[in-house]
Amino acid sequence: MELPAVRKTDVILVYHGFVVCYNTTRLIPDWVAYELTAEELSGEVPRARGFSMDLDYKAPQAMREDYSYSGWDKGHMAPSADMKWSQVAMNESFYLTNICPQDPVLNGRDWHTLEKYVRGWASKYGSVWVVCGPYVTVNASGTIGERKVTVPDGFFKAVLRREGKEWHSIAFLFTNDSSKQPVRDAVVSVNEVEAFTGLDLFTNLKRRIEEKVESQADWEDWGR
């Protein structure tokens, strides 16, 4: 349910806990998608010790050295805290194919807060489907490292849940900087994210349902 539409040229990496569409030019994901269940939240696997390349993926990818002394965090797209249910999933969440250069304040504050909200929603509703990733518009911050890893201009996250026969969605847009960006002020619809990024997110929904659900942007339906 959570996978966006896949184009013929997309590089899709299937991991234990999430799926990555990896951009081999920018060396960051185009998107990361996964389902998070309430049961998975009870996992107790400790945080992995460090970041690494995906050695099974034999193609260009970022390396730790590209981030060294860059001033940018190694920002998870699929959060490690969502992968505590499996040691494999935890380790793979630290692959640099799941990572973007992210402003340290954003990573530690508002983006982190949204990640906690998502876990809360998974607990409350039993499961949620998540698609998130970077967006690049003017590429204001250029690249980092010898391999020229693209620094995103911002990030999106879209969340979907089902209650009985009813589907609900919400999405968020953040700029990749240290400005204060409260989660509720970052709310947009999935349609707005799709228009902004060119992606087709929850494409596995039936078309008539998708059109209705992806127009929603109601914080009160989620944030209470």
Side-chain angles (χ1 to χ4, degrees), residues 1-2 34-36 127-131 158-162 167 202:
M1 183 60 65
E2 71 271 20
Y34 62 101
E35 181 184 8
L36 182 63
S127 68
V128 292
W129 291 269
V130 183
V131 183
V159 187
L160 178 72
R161 77 175 196 261
R162 184 175 185 176
W167 293 90
F202 298 118

Side-chain angles (χ1 to χ4, degrees), residues 143-198:
T143 62
I144 59 172
E146 181 179 340
R147 289 153 199 83
K148 299 188 182 303
V149 179
T150 298
V151 178
D153 293 297
F155 298 91
F156 72 88
K157 191 184 294 279
V159 187
L160 178 72
R161 77 175 196 261
R162 184 175 185 176
E163 293 182 81
K165 296 182 179 180
E166 295 293 320
W167 293 90
H168 303 257
S169 74
I170 194 168
F172 305 85
L173 285 173
F174 293 89
T175 53
N176 194 14
D177 57 43
S178 59
S179 61
K180 189 174 182 180
Q181 302 177 71
V183 170
R184 67 181 302 155
D185 292 348
V187 171
V188 295
S189 68
V190 172
N191 282 339
E192 289 174 273
V193 169
E194 291 180 333
F196 197 68
T197 63

Side-chain angles (χ1 to χ4, degrees), residues 3-209:
L3 293 184
V6 175
R7 300 161 291 198
K8 290 183 179 179
T9 56
D10 285 343
V11 175
I12 303 299
L13 305 176
V14 180
Y15 295 120
H16 196 55
F18 56 98
V19 177
V20 173
C21 179
Y22 192 64
N23 192 308
T24 56
T25 300
R26 293 174 173 168
L27 303 185
I28 54 177
D30 283 332
W31 52 259
V32 172
Y34 62 101
E35 181 184 8
L36 182 63
T37 69
E39 183 180 4
E40 289 169 344
L41 294 172
S42 63
E44 297 181 354
V45 172
R47 181 180 171 91
R49 292 185 177 182
F51 295 87
S52 67
M53 297 175 66
D54 177 359
L55 297 180
D56 291 327
Y57 175 54
K58 309 299 183 182
Q61 56 185 293
M63 297 180 67
R64 286 180 298 179
E65 291 80 1
D66 293 315
Y67 286 81
S68 297
Y69 308 107
S70 68
W72 299 93
D73 275 6
K74 301 179 187 74
H76 286 81
M77 295 297 96
S80 60
D82 291 4
M83 302 296 150
K84 291 182 177 181
W85 52 274
S86 162
Q87 188 66 65
V88 174
M90 172 62 71
N91 292 345
E92 290 177 341
S93 75
F94 278 81
Y95 285 169
L96 289 161
T97 49
N98 179 45
I99 302 301
C100 291
Q102 192 168 45
D103 181 89
V105 175
L106 174 64
N107 187 26
R109 189 172 63 191
D110 298 316
W111 186 255
H112 179 64
T113 298
L114 177 55
E115 291 174 342
K116 291 192 290 186
Y117 270 117
V118 171
R119 287 190 284 277
W121 296 330
S123 177
K124 180 176 181 178
Y125 299 112
S127 68
V128 292
W129 291 269
V130 183
V131 183
C132 65
Y135 64 81
V136 181
T137 50
V138 298
N139 190 212
S141 298
T143 62
I144 59 172
E146 181 179 340
R147 289 153 199 83
K148 299 188 182 303
V149 179
T150 298
V151 178
D153 293 297
F155 298 91
F156 72 88
K157 191 184 294 279
V159 187
L160 178 72
R161 77 175 196 261
R162 184 175 185 176
E163 293 182 81
K165 296 182 179 180
E166 295 293 320
W167 293 90
H168 303 257
S169 74
I170 194 168
F172 305 85
L173 285 173
F174 293 89
T175 53
N176 194 14
D177 57 43
S178 59
S179 61
K180 189 174 182 180
Q181 302 177 71
V183 170
R184 67 181 302 155
D185 292 348
V187 171
V188 295
S189 68
V190 172
N191 282 339
E192 289 174 273
V193 169
E194 291 180 333
F196 197 68
T197 63
L199 299 172
D200 183 5
L201 298 184
F202 298 118
T203 186
N204 289 319
L205 289 172
K206 292 181 179 179
R207 181 58 60 181
R208 62 180 178 81
I209 297 175

